[in-house]
Amino acid sequence: HTPPAGESSAGQAAATISAAEHSAAQAAAVGYEWRDTGKLIKEAEAAEKTEDDAQAVKLAEKADQQGQVAVTQHAHEVEYYSKTHGSIR
């Protein structure tokens, strides 16, 4: 999800925030968005507005990672439940 290395820091911040929003939406779609993910995205957007692109990227990367891990967590829990209780689909 991380933007290309040659991209400007402002462009990288915007792209990283977009990736974080996408990951958060995927997690929310399965009911597994973590508590702080949305907050991190808002903080990244605020940092981007003040042109603190490095901080924006750092926060957005953390939010993106949370979204990805939340989706993985959901998949693991569905798999475990299916093995122990039968299919839930």
Side-chain angles (χ1 to χ4, degrees):
H1 289 348
T2 304
E7 203 168 312
S8 71
S9 58
Q12 184 179 10
T16 308
I17 291 168
S18 179
E21 290 170 335
H22 178 74
S23 294
Q26 288 180 317
V30 294
Y32 269 69
E33 186 174 15
W34 290 5
R35 180 194 67 216
D36 294 338
T37 305
K39 178 183 170 191
L40 288 167
I41 292 170
K42 287 180 182 178
E43 289 175 2
E45 290 170 336
E48 181 187 30
K49 285 180 183 173
T50 63
E51 298 183 9
D52 188 353
D53 295 323
Q55 180 68 0
V57 168
K58 179 181 174 183
L59 292 165
E61 284 177 342
K62 186 172 182 177
D64 184 38
Q65 181 182 33
Q66 284 188 2
Q68 291 177 37
V69 172
V71 170
T72 301
Q73 177 186 16
H74 172 262
H76 285 256
E77 290 189 20
V78 167
E79 180 182 352
Y80 174 78
Y81 187 90
S82 295
K83 286 180 180 177
T84 59
H85 295 85
S87 180
I88 60 172
R89 294 191 173 140

